[in-house]
Amino acid sequence: MSGYPSVSPILHRHLLRGQVIPAHPLALDNQRRLDERCQRALTRYYLDSGAGGVAVGVHTTQFAIRQPEVGLLEPILRLARDTINAYEQRHPDRVIMRIAGICGDTRQAVAEAEQARSLGYHMGLLSLGALRNAERDHLIQHAHTVAKTIPLMGFYLQPSVGGRILDYDFWCRFCEIPNLAAIKIAPFNRYQTLDVVRAVAAASREDEIALYTGNDDNIVFDLLSRFEVSCNGQVKTLRIVGGLLGHWAFWTRRAVELLQNIQALVQAQPIPEHLTALAWQITDANAATFDPSHQFAGCIAGIHEILFRQGLLRHTGCLNPAETLSPGQAEEITRVIKAYPHLTDDAFVKENLDRWFLD
């Protein structure tokens, strides 16, 4: 992979085993300034929950952190890095993947990749949202250029929140990037999810590229699915091994337990009925939080609301004052918490909250 930096073998194996990777929110005070104490507490919560990594500077962290008048991208990346470093010193047996969101045109994306790598991040989650009208050749060249700075996790983002349709042929070419170590599949669409799986199989990189769900509406079924893909007369079996999810930015302890349970059961046939019931309960909870009935307008605010109720955030505001809960969303969140208390990790948070807020 001359010219393309790669993740270390230890981190690569870690990814391929499948991990819970929360998409890290942004903690603000009542003046919409960074609340460093809350931000550190959130990171500690994810690590103590058993997350195998964190993704910072992604959609859940709010893209507005990149605006010059806000200027929070570097401080947020550095704060998460320092918090993880301190945790690893106390827990040398833990492997924590540091993933940085990479956005913008090629010039911006390369600058963000260089910054992330200089701060010790292992991979870049490459968003193509800024290139919604670019030709396929330009998209592929853009990805290769960024990959020469930092190893990549590909990202299929649903069009309704800023992504674009990326067809099977695109993913076949994307899978030729030498240091592509993982793909987050988040189109919220079964057909498009299958396009990515088929492309990885066609590239014969099913043992190299870790598939992660970002389909917050279909988490459990993604993790339970066994994809059997025919390639040149050979049937290949692929699985989505973990998730990088905004939905896993809250109730993270339960997410870790869920993934461990599924990893232990994926060989069982048929799928245990309790997991199929749980799958729809999680989707219902996600609908309340992510606000699809209002085209996801309250998505980030919904995550903040749950973390605020648990005490992990002291304020629920976003950088954009217009980003708030949609009408009726707070009531929907209350409904799913009451209906599915087993999905929450309130007791775990209560037990550790004071410790996470210690400076």
Side-chain angles (χ1 to χ4, degrees):
M1 292 194 294
S2 177
Y4 291 84
S6 60
V7 296
S8 72
I10 291 175
L11 289 170
H12 196 193
R13 289 193 297 270
H14 181 70
L15 268 177
L16 289 169
R17 280 195 296 268
Q19 305 297 331
V20 166
I21 302 178
H24 206 306
L26 176 67
L28 299 175
D29 64 18
N30 59 359
Q31 301 297 313
R32 302 186 196 279
R33 298 171 302 197
L34 174 63
D35 185 334
E36 292 193 7
R37 195 161 175 236
C38 264
Q39 193 74 18
R40 282 193 296 270
L42 274 177
T43 306
R44 291 166 179 162
Y45 161 58
Y46 298 137
L47 300 179
D48 276 348
S49 293
V54 293
V56 187
V58 294
H59 173 252
T60 309
T61 325
Q62 303 178 49
F63 292 131
I65 60 175
R66 294 167 168 80
Q67 295 174 0
E69 64 273 21
V70 177
L72 284 179
L73 178 59
E74 192 274 343
I76 290 297
L77 291 173
R78 185 179 297 277
L79 189 58
R81 188 272 315 267
D82 292 346
T83 306
I84 294 169
N85 284 352
Y87 183 89
E88 287 181 326
Q89 289 176 3
R90 298 191 304 273
H91 302 86
D93 57 321
R94 287 286 301 278
V95 178
I96 309 296
M97 196 82 195
R98 302 168 181 79
I99 300 175
I102 305 294
C103 301
D105 60 17
T106 303
R107 181 177 179 179
Q108 177 183 337
V110 169
E112 290 189 7
E114 290 173 344
Q115 181 182 64
R117 192 175 182 193
S118 72
L119 290 171
Y121 280 75
H122 304 124
M123 294 176 63
L125 178 68
L126 183 64
S127 170
L128 300 175
L131 304 173
R132 296 190 69 175
N133 299 314
E135 297 293 331
R136 182 187 297 155
D137 285 350
H138 181 69
L139 291 178
I140 296 299
Q141 183 57 51
H142 169 83
H144 274 278
T145 302
V146 177
K148 290 179 181 178
T149 299
I150 196 168
L152 293 187
M153 173 181 269
F155 187 12
Y156 198 163
L157 175 64
Q158 59 169 314
S160 60
V161 292
R164 56 175 289 173
I165 301 298
L166 299 166
D167 62 15
Y168 169 75
D169 290 335
F170 166 84
W171 287 108
C172 284
R173 292 183 60 185
F174 196 87
C175 287
E176 295 173 359
I177 297 172
N179 60 347
L180 175 64
I183 300 174
K184 170 179 173 171
I185 309 172
F188 284 42
N189 180 289
R190 301 297 90 210
Y191 303 116
Q192 293 158 4
T193 293
L194 188 56
D195 282 341
V196 180
V197 177
R198 289 178 54 228
V200 172
S204 296
R205 296 192 65 189
E206 61 272 13
D207 295 328
E208 302 172 28
I209 298 174
L211 296 177
Y212 274 64
T213 182
N215 290 317
D216 302 78
D217 65 334
N218 202 66
I219 298 168
V220 175
F221 286 119
D222 269 2
L223 295 170
L224 287 171
S225 294
R226 172 187 172 98
F227 298 92
E228 293 189 350
V229 181
S230 179
C231 296
N232 300 318
Q234 178 185 5
V235 176
K236 297 182 176 182
T237 300
L238 294 86
R239 289 191 181 277
I240 294 173
V241 296
L244 194 166
L245 296 155
H247 188 89
W248 283 354
F250 58 92
W251 303 341
T252 310
R253 182 71 165 185
R254 293 289 175 261
V256 171
E257 293 169 356
L258 172 68
L259 181 60
Q260 291 173 345
N261 188 26
I262 289 174
Q263 289 172 335
L265 290 172
V266 287
Q267 302 303 323
Q269 296 294 332
I271 294 170
E273 288 188 6
H274 75 275
L275 279 180
T276 61
L278 184 65
W280 291 115
Q281 293 171 359
I282 291 173
T283 296
D284 190 18
N286 180 259
T289 311
F290 273 44
D291 195 31
S293 60
H294 297 92
Q295 289 73 54
F296 304 96
C299 170
I300 294 175
I303 294 170
H304 288 188
E305 177 69 16
I306 291 179
L307 293 171
F308 173 76
R309 293 187 189 193
Q310 291 186 299
L312 284 159
L313 287 183
R314 291 184 283 202
H315 299 278
T316 61
C318 297
L319 288 168
N320 180 354
E323 286 194 51
T324 61
L325 293 175
S326 293
Q329 191 179 358
E331 292 77 8
E332 275 294 282
I333 290 172
T334 298
R335 176 186 67 81
V336 298
I337 290 172
K338 289 182 177 179
Y340 317 123
H342 53 283
L343 299 184
T344 77
D345 60 359
D346 290 354
F348 171 72
V349 172
K350 184 178 180 180
E351 180 182 349
N352 293 282
L353 191 62
D354 290 344
R355 180 170 58 81
W356 293 330
F357 273 92
L358 289 175
D359 288 328

